[in-house]
């Protein structure tokens, strides 16, 4: 690795060595190196400081730096493990690791639960589910009557809240996902399997030969 | 058209904000 990697770590706070990240995630060292090329693009798109700010995340997702989205905000907050308002390279790779096709399904189910637990109470509450449905309808320019929205939320909530205590806990969520596995389809990114093949252009700039 | 019997989480999972594959598209 030599001076290039140490030069990189001086310039970019939160940078971690590919070997360390590869040891803790489903990625290989060269895949982490390839992810670093992607990370460099994203983290310098608006503010050239080597850190992904929310506007840069929005730009990458929507091609629009100002587009707000409840779910993208939640993803950003979960990626921002240190809660310092930016996504660092180590956080980026570790969080993306959950989306790897080889990542344990249990990790994907747990991540989705934290995603939907908007107020981080350790439960998914009915009001949160309704808030997310309304956010989706708004995002998709779909208009539904209040009754239909309530019916959709009620039916899903009753199905999931098997203990009937008015909130969905992690156990109930695991059970619910096992009945409806498509609910976590977003939690797997096929791109991440052999990312160096999917994006050869990334490999050109990556250092490590596997 | 959204059927009233639809699973709310299924509906939510269609959000573009949850589709990270666009991070990887050129």
């Amino acid at each position: 690795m030599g001076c290039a990697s140490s030069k990189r770590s001086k310039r970019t706070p939160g940078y971690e060595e590919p070997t360390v990240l590869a040891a803790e995630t489903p990625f290989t060292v060269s895949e982490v190196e390839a992810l670093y090329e992607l990370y460099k693009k994203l983290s310098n798109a608006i503010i050239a400081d080597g850190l992904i700010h929310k506007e840069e995340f929005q730009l990458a997702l929507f091609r629009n730096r100002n587009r707000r989205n409840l779910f993208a905000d939640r993803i950003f907050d979960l990626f921002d493990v240190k809660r310092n308002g930016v996504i660092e390279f180590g956080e980026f790779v570790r969080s993306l690791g959950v989306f790897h096709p080889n990542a344990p399904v249990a990790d994907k189910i747990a991540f989705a639960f934290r995603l939907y637990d908007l107020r981080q109470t350790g439960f998914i509450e009915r009001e949160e589910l309704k808030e997310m449905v309304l956010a989706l309808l708004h995002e998709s320019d779909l208009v539904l009557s209040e009754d239909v929205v309530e019916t959709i939320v009620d039916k899903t909530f009753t199905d999931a809240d098997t203990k009937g205590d008015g909130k969905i806990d992690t156990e109930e969520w695991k059970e619910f996902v096992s009945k409806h596995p498509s609910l976590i389809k977003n939690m797997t990114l096929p791109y991440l399997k052999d990312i160096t093949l999917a994006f050869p252009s990334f490999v050109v700039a990556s250092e490590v030969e596997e | 058209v959204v059927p009233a019997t639809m699973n709310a989480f299924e509906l939510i999972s269609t959000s573009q904000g949850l589709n990270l594959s666009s991070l990887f598209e050129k």
Side-chain angles (χ1 to χ4, degrees):
Chain A
M1 277 322 163
C3 63
S5 147
S6 57
K7 202 171 30 177
R8 188 184 291 149
S9 55
K10 285 196 192 78
R11 261 188 283 123
T12 321
Y15 176 80
E16 294 179 56
E17 289 301 325
T19 46
V20 172
L21 292 170
E24 295 175 13
T25 65
F27 299 115
T28 64
V29 174
S30 61
E31 285 174 341
V32 172
E33 285 282 354
L35 283 173
Y36 187 63
E37 298 309 313
L38 170 63
Y39 178 84
K40 277 193 295 187
K41 282 185 184 131
L42 302 182
S43 60
N44 292 293
I46 298 174
I47 304 164
D49 62 355
L51 299 164
I52 299 178
H53 295 256
K54 183 158 287 184
E55 274 193 330
E56 290 167 322
F57 190 66
Q58 286 165 177
L59 180 64
L61 275 189
F62 307 121
R63 304 295 179 268
N64 176 343
R65 62 190 283 181
N66 299 311
R67 174 134 169 229
R68 296 306 306 275
N69 178 288
L70 170 66
F71 305 104
D73 285 354
R74 288 296 302 139
I75 293 257
F76 185 91
D77 289 346
L78 292 186
F79 272 51
D80 175 16
V81 177
K82 294 180 187 172
R83 314 308 306 265
N84 54 3
V86 288
I87 300 173
E88 299 169 3
F89 179 55
E91 294 171 332
F92 182 69
V93 174
R94 284 196 175 84
S95 302
L96 274 179
V98 177
F99 292 78
H100 193 286
N102 297 342
V105 173
D107 292 355
K108 295 173 187 290
I109 293 173
F111 190 97
F113 182 86
R114 290 172 56 219
L115 200 57
Y116 296 144
D117 175 12
L118 300 185
R119 284 175 255 298
Q120 297 127 64
T121 58
F123 302 94
I124 300 171
E125 323 243 344
R126 190 189 182 285
E127 266 323 294
E128 291 172 325
L129 181 55
K130 182 177 177 182
E131 182 179 340
M132 290 188 282
V133 168
L134 294 174
L136 184 281
L137 295 176
H138 176 70
E139 169 189 335
S140 318
D141 292 325
L142 281 170
V143 177
L144 290 182
S145 69
E146 177 69 12
D147 292 347
V148 171
V149 171
E150 291 294 336
T151 303
I152 289 173
V153 172
D154 275 343
K155 182 187 180 309
T156 299
F157 206 84
T158 307
D159 288 351
D161 177 22
T162 50
K163 295 172 187 168
D165 56 2
K167 49 195 178 189
I168 302 167
D169 62 29
T170 50
E171 206 182 310
E172 289 168 322
W173 173 249
K174 274 184 214 137
E175 208 182 301
F176 192 63
V177 173
S178 66
K179 282 187 242 161
H180 307 278
S182 65
L183 294 188
I184 55 167
K185 63 178 181 286
N186 285 331
M187 296 302 306
T188 296
L189 291 169
Y191 282 115
L192 295 179
K193 186 107 170 145
D194 305 326
I195 188 168
T196 46
L197 298 179
F199 293 91
S201 65
F202 289 162
V203 177
V204 167
S206 89
E207 285 173 336
V208 177
E209 287 312 317
E210 198 46 19
Chain B
V1 173
V2 177
T5 55
M6 185 167 194
N7 184 313
F9 289 107
E10 201 75 65
L11 188 58
I12 288 163
S13 69
T14 64
S15 170
Q16 198 185 340
L18 293 174
N19 179 9
L20 296 190
S21 57
S22 48
L23 292 182
F24 300 89
E25 281 148 17
K26 289 273 176 183

